[in-house]
Each structure stands twice: as C-alpha cells, then as structure tokens.
Amino acid sequence: TIRDTVSYAGDIPGWTIYFRPGVRISNHDRLITYFDFLVPLYFTDKSVLFFNPKANFDNNDNVEWNVGMGYRHLLAGDRLILGGNLFYDGRKSYTGNDFHQIGVGAEVLTEWVNARVNGYISLSDAKESGRWREYYFGSTSLNYSLAYGLEEPMSGLDYEVGFKVPGLSNYVETWVYAGGYNYFSDYTDDMAGWSTRVEVIPTDFVKLNFSVRDDNLRDTEYAGEVTLELPFSIDNLIAGNDPFEGIGDVFKGSRTMKERLYEQVRRDV
C-alpha cells in the first residue's frame, strides 16, 4: 500500500504521480471513459500543490478535457483538510461544436464528513447544432418550415456532503453522499436536481461508485463507475527501485488523512 512506500513524514509518499483511469456507464446509454492525472508540484507533510489534467470520451462522440491546479492543506492536528481548485474545461460535442468554461471548487475533508462545491462559468455562447426543413401542403401552395437546434453551455454549480459509514469502514472504506446541482439557461427552464452516491474503496488501487440523480429536465439516471489508481513513484525510479511498488495491496480499513491529501478531485462537469 501507500503506507509501505513512504520515504518520509509518516504516511506522506515522496514525489509520486497518480494516474487514475476510469469508466462510467449509465442507463441513459452513455459510456464515459476518462484518464485523470494528479501531479504534485510542491508538497510537505501537511500540504500539496498539484497539477490535474483529465480527458473524457463517451460513446456519443463527445470529447472533454480539463486542465486544473489545486491546493490542499492539513490542519487541526491532522484531522481536517481544506482544499481549493481552479480548472479550464473544454468540450467538443458530437455535432462538432466547441465549448469552454472556467471551474472553481472548494472542499472540506475530515475523517468522517466530506463536503464539496464546484462552480462553472461558461465562456461560450450557444451554437447551432443542426437545421431541419419540412415541406407540407397549404390550401393553395406547397410550403415548408425551417427549424434549427441549439447547444447551450450552462453555467451553474454542484455540491455534496458525505458521511463515512462506521463499522463497515474498519474493513472496507465506504462513504454515502447526498447533494444537488443547479444550472441556468437563456433558452429553456433552469435545471435543478438532486444526487446521491455510494463510494467504496476496497483496495489501494480500486474505487467504486454507484450514483443516482434526477432533475426537472431529464429522466432519472443510474450510473456505475470504476476508477483505478496507479501511483508512479519518481523517488523509487531515481533510486533504481520499482516505481509501481505496492500496487495491488489491500487496505485494511480506511485511509489516513495524510494519504487523502492526494485523493482524486471530484467534479461533475
């Protein structure tokens, strides 16, 4: 585990890059594959400044990328982590349109309770997604109607609060989250919805999520998600040792707060 590969300061590893590939599938016939990297730029035993690029691909020919920076600090006798992040997000939709936005997030992590909020500010206007022409007979002539669709990037926010399940987390770290999201449109009703998810971390290299969400514009979505975690130790590489040392070991209980300084940033863009 990470505990077995530390080089100093208790549970804090040396310079380690975290590669997190994952897949998410939902009942909306959408399959998302993503590749997430967390690269520490500066770290101590109580803080980390990191670079966080991510790429997402789905089965509907949408491509999304996110480039961010984040900072986390361990406080209150190693019982509290405060963090913030700033992202630039881009998406090429299945129609070929490009959209861009800025994302700002904040997080509070403790041993038993987590809270996160993310805000998204669109930098792009709505764009035409297609035209449709329909011919029909009038009383004295042949007429046609012309319609077109719009893709609109909506600004908004998402938020959640989670609680670690006692007892069970002594063996398998398990969290239950509840939250919501609000997005704002110039062309249709604003979106307001709720979400809930269960997160299970059975080993140091696998994270499982099952989520449900529903809002006033779409049908209820059920989704399952699997994320792998592959740490690559630069310290071990320089020392001539195995940079992937420890992958595959099983946690026996919950992660420490120092280890959680490096956990994946949770956003729903």
Side-chain angles (χ1 to χ4, degrees), residues 48-70:
V48 59
L49 173 70
F50 57 88
F51 175 56
N52 190 189
K54 184 177 180 179
N56 308 264
F57 309 88
D58 76 4
N59 58 327
N60 296 318
D61 297 324
N62 295 292
V63 178
E64 184 176 295
W65 53 265
N66 322 109
V67 179
M69 296 281 292

Side-chain angles (χ1 to χ4, degrees), residues 192-214:
W194 58 267
S195 64
T196 184
R197 66 185 178 96
V198 177
E199 182 176 82
V200 181
I201 308 173
T203 78
D204 66 339
F205 71 102
V206 174
K207 180 182 293 184
L208 307 175
N209 271 277
F210 178 76
S211 61
V212 181
R213 61 183 178 183
D214 185 75

Side-chain angles (χ1 to χ4, degrees), residues 1-130:
T1 69
I2 296 175
R3 298 180 182 86
D4 298 324
T5 59
V6 296
S7 57
Y8 71 100
D11 300 294
I12 291 296
W15 187 20
T16 299
I17 297 172
Y18 296 88
F19 173 46
R20 296 176 170 117
V23 61
R24 182 178 185 273
I25 186 169
S26 77
N27 63 317
H28 286 178
D29 297 323
R30 190 178 187 201
L31 175 67
I32 300 174
T33 302
Y34 58 84
F35 303 93
D36 186 304
F37 294 85
L38 190 150
V39 183
L41 301 178
Y42 172 80
F43 57 91
T44 69
D45 62 335
K46 293 185 182 296
S47 64
V48 59
L49 173 70
F50 57 88
F51 175 56
N52 190 189
K54 184 177 180 179
N56 308 264
F57 309 88
D58 76 4
N59 58 327
N60 296 318
D61 297 324
N62 295 292
V63 178
E64 184 176 295
W65 53 265
N66 322 109
V67 179
M69 296 281 292
Y71 179 78
R72 289 176 175 145
H73 196 89
L74 189 57
L75 303 165
D78 296 350
R79 297 190 299 272
L80 169 68
I81 293 174
L82 297 181
N85 55 72
L86 176 66
F87 279 84
Y88 188 85
D89 304 317
R91 172 179 286 184
K92 180 178 285 293
S93 75
Y94 70 96
T95 64
N97 288 327
D98 289 302
F99 300 100
H100 302 272
Q101 70 179 16
I102 295 293
V104 180
E107 55 189 1
V108 179
L109 311 178
T110 74
E111 183 178 357
W112 292 101
V113 180
N114 294 336
R116 300 180 178 92
V117 60
N118 297 292
Y120 310 98
I121 304 171
S122 174
L123 303 178
S124 303
D125 296 325
K127 298 181 180 180
E128 188 175 310
S129 61

Side-chain angles (χ1 to χ4, degrees), residues 249-262:
D249 293 336
V250 177
F251 281 130
K252 294 182 179 177
S254 299
R255 298 163 297 164
T256 67
M257 291 299 294
K258 288 186 178 181
E259 289 168 331
R260 292 182 58 202
L261 282 168
Y262 297 84

